[in-house]
Each structure stands twice: as structure tokens, then as C-alpha cells.
Amino acid sequence: MTDRKFRVGIIGADTQASWAGASHVPALAAQPSLVLAGVATRREDSARAAAEAFGAERWYADPMSSSGTKASTS
């Protein structure tokens, strides 16, 4: 068995109105070979909130609707 972790991301990971928190994040957390590397939403504020809430390493937002496109949360 390998200790290699596969990094995955969730697009549409809004904490208020998405399946991410109710379904996708818990399913990823239950898999020891997966790590949530990033989340993406349309707006910077919701992307930052999703990364914080879900423990993602990075957040991404639509560059046409926000000032920054990515930042590290760690």
C-alpha cells in the first residue's frame, strides 16, 4: 500500500448553496488517499469562506468577478 495522497478540488464549493458541504467534502474526508487541495466559486469572498470551512489548501475565484484568483490558506 502507498502513502501517496491524490489532491482534488471542488468547483462550485459555496458554503451557502452547494452540495460541497453536505456531500462532497465528507465523502472526500472519508477517503484516506484523498486531500482537498482547492475549492472554487464565482466570488472571492465565498471562495475564501469555502476554503476556511472545508479545510482546502487554496481557493480560486472567477477572475472576471473578483480581484484575486488564488491564495493559500495555510
Side-chain angles (χ1 to χ4, degrees):
M1 201 81 186
T2 181
D3 290 333
R4 183 176 173 181
K5 300 244 181 198
F6 291 93
R7 299 165 47 83
V8 297
I10 299 175
I11 297 171
D14 194 309
T15 58
Q16 300 298 314
S18 76
W19 283 94
S23 180
H24 304 313
V25 172
L28 290 172
Q31 300 299 316
S33 62
L34 302 178
V35 62
L36 183 57
V39 292
T41 69
R42 287 182 291 166
R43 295 182 332 275
E44 182 178 339
D45 59 336
S46 64
R48 285 180 183 263
E52 176 82 21
F54 303 142
E57 297 170 1
R58 295 181 181 267
W59 60 265
Y60 298 87
D62 184 345
M64 299 302 287
S65 65
S66 65
S67 58
T69 56
K70 73 177 183 178
S72 176
T73 59
S74 53

